[in-house]
Amino acid sequence: MVTPYIRVPINTTKKRAMNKTNFQIFLILCDIALIIIYTLLFHLSRPMSTASVAFVPQGSIAQIITYMVEKKFDLHPYADKYLLRLIGKPQAGWVNFNQEVLTRGDFLYKLSHSKAPLKVITYIPGETKEILFAELALAFELSYEKLHQEYAAATPYVEGLIVPETYYIPVGISEKHLIHFLLAHAKSYHKSVFEKIFGEFNETKWQKFIIIASIIQKEAANAEEMPLVSSVIYNRLKKDMKLQMDGTLNYGEYSHTKVTPKRIKEDTSPYNTYMHKGLPPYPVCSVSKEAIFAAIFPKTTNYLYFVKNKNGTHTFSQNYETHLENIRN
């Protein structure tokens, strides 16, 4: 037996009401979508101030956003994080923005896609920041005077803080950001070295050792001599003798100036250890890790004098008579 098809009548009024409700929901969703789109467009079109180049650390997008917010970049910790997931994860290293004012959209895009070209600069142990700043000013078309101004504003340490090593520096960096980059690395480096030796960082102790290390750096012919030169410095200080070392007069702009008897007589600065007892008030140059270790761990000797010999190294002696013989030889 075939069951007859029974047509169930539909409430036309109810159907129309449902269609109207669905259409209203659709319109509301469209309005919400438009609001979100307009909000994002407004957010992305807002102008941002930034440095011409910026450093991006390794890490997740959230970690990078947190780092940049801490560095005073005007980024939203949530909205910009999700936008970067769509645009692309920032690459670690230096980013080139090319301009100091741009839209947020341009900023986020360049943060992910614009790696800055780098130049290599090597700062050698025993050199002074005056020579380094002159080289940086020439290589990156920066102001030598402004580099000094930014350095003086950022730290009270006249010399010996910037670490002598090879740096990869982005083209387009400003004087302020370059100095902050060099000093941030320097503070981390020195703190790490001294904590490994002493367990904690003591600023007063650190400054004294860096001053001694800078003299060692200027005077020693090689790393093997450094603990011996260090012993002479400590032995002379212990006996309340003047250090009388030429290297202390090669400070600042005089880094490559030959020390003559005339210069010794005329230089009345506290760096002149022929004229003044004790250590200079500040380091005289950049220092290597070997010089720092020699300053902290001098060799135990009775040496009070040393003179350059024919081999280009130094001959050390305990008394003045032997020292005069070594000079004649």
Side-chain angles (χ1 to χ4, degrees):
M1 181 177 179
V2 178
T3 304
Y5 176 74
I6 302 173
R7 184 171 182 177
V8 179
I10 298 175
N11 189 325
T12 306
T13 304
K14 186 176 181 180
K15 182 179 179 181
R16 288 175 179 173
M18 288 176 62
N19 289 339
K20 185 177 180 181
T21 301
N22 290 339
F23 183 68
Q24 288 173 337
I25 292 172
F26 173 74
L27 289 177
I28 291 170
L29 291 175
C30 286
D31 288 340
I32 292 172
L34 286 172
I35 290 170
I36 292 172
I37 291 170
Y38 285 135
T39 301
L40 285 174
L41 289 174
F42 175 75
H43 181 72
L44 291 170
S45 65
R46 288 177 58 202
M48 279 188 64
S49 296
T50 180
S52 296
V53 293
F55 181 76
V56 177
Q58 292 278 2
S60 66
I61 292 177
Q63 290 171 329
I64 291 168
I65 291 287
T66 300
Y67 169 85
M68 300 197 78
V69 169
E70 289 173 354
K71 295 297 181 182
K72 309 302 181 186
F73 284 89
D74 183 23
L75 293 175
H76 193 282
Y78 299 109
D80 291 332
K81 178 176 71 174
Y82 290 111
L83 284 169
L84 281 172
R85 287 182 179 175
L86 296 173
I87 297 170
K89 181 182 176 182
Q91 304 174 63
W94 290 99
V95 178
N96 184 14
F97 296 110
N98 282 329
Q99 56 198 94
E100 295 186 355
V101 178
L102 66 171
T103 66
R104 184 177 298 271
D106 286 338
F107 178 89
L108 294 176
Y109 181 83
K110 289 184 177 182
L111 193 60
S112 302
H113 295 82
S114 299
K115 294 286 282 186
L118 305 175
K119 284 187 177 181
V120 180
I121 295 291
T122 299
Y123 185 36
I124 63 172
E127 199 52 273
T128 65
K129 74 177 190 303
E130 279 74 13
I131 304 301
L132 173 64
F133 288 175
E135 185 177 357
L136 290 171
L138 184 63
F140 294 91
E141 298 182 4
L142 299 173
S143 165
Y144 175 78
E145 292 75 17
K146 195 169 182 182
L147 285 169
H148 277 282
Q149 290 168 7
E150 294 293 347
Y151 182 91
T155 180
Y157 299 111
V158 175
E159 186 62 82
L161 184 57
I162 300 176
V163 183
E165 60 181 50
T166 296
Y167 293 94
Y168 296 86
I169 300 172
V171 174
I173 194 168
S174 68
E175 290 88 351
K176 181 176 182 178
H177 285 93
L178 177 52
I179 292 299
H180 279 249
F181 164 68
L182 293 173
L183 293 184
H185 172 65
K187 289 172 184 176
S188 174
Y189 170 86
H190 287 291
K191 189 170 184 288
S192 172
V193 170
F194 274 77
E195 282 180 345
K196 284 179 182 177
I197 298 173
F198 298 106
E200 61 179 1
F201 182 75
N202 181 290
E203 192 170 358
T204 303
K205 186 184 290 186
W206 166 80
Q207 189 171 19
K208 179 183 177 182
F209 283 132
I210 295 298
I211 291 172
I212 294 173
S214 72
I215 302 172
I216 295 169
Q217 193 76 60
K218 284 289 190 181
E219 294 288 344
N222 51 48
E224 289 70 29
E225 279 192 0
M226 287 182 173
L228 293 173
V229 173
S230 182
S231 73
V232 173
I233 293 171
Y234 281 104
N235 290 342
R236 281 181 163 259
L237 290 174
K238 188 176 180 179
K239 290 181 175 291
D240 199 32
M241 296 172 66
K242 293 176 182 176
L243 292 183
Q244 296 181 318
M245 295 188 178
D246 288 3
T248 62
L249 284 166
N250 288 133
Y251 62 90
E253 62 186 288
Y254 304 108
S255 179
H256 298 286
T257 302
K258 185 177 180 180
V259 178
T260 61
K262 183 175 184 290
R263 172 87 194 285
I264 291 171
K265 290 179 181 179
E266 293 179 352
D267 191 314
T268 59
S269 76
Y271 290 98
N272 189 345
T273 54
Y274 287 92
M275 190 176 293
H276 306 285
K277 284 185 179 180
L279 297 170
Y282 305 105
V284 295
C285 65
S286 62
V287 294
S288 63
K289 190 175 289 187
E290 291 80 7
I292 294 174
F293 273 73
I296 298 170
F297 304 109
K299 193 162 185 177
T300 302
T301 74
N302 293 318
Y303 293 146
L304 292 172
Y305 306 92
F306 59 89
V307 64
K308 196 169 186 178
N309 57 41
K310 295 176 182 178
N311 299 322
T313 56
H314 291 93
T315 302
F316 294 81
S317 55
Q318 300 179 26
N319 56 69
Y320 190 61
E321 290 73 20
T322 306
H323 178 59
L324 289 177
E325 289 179 17
N326 291 334
I327 292 174
R328 287 190 289 270
N329 294 331

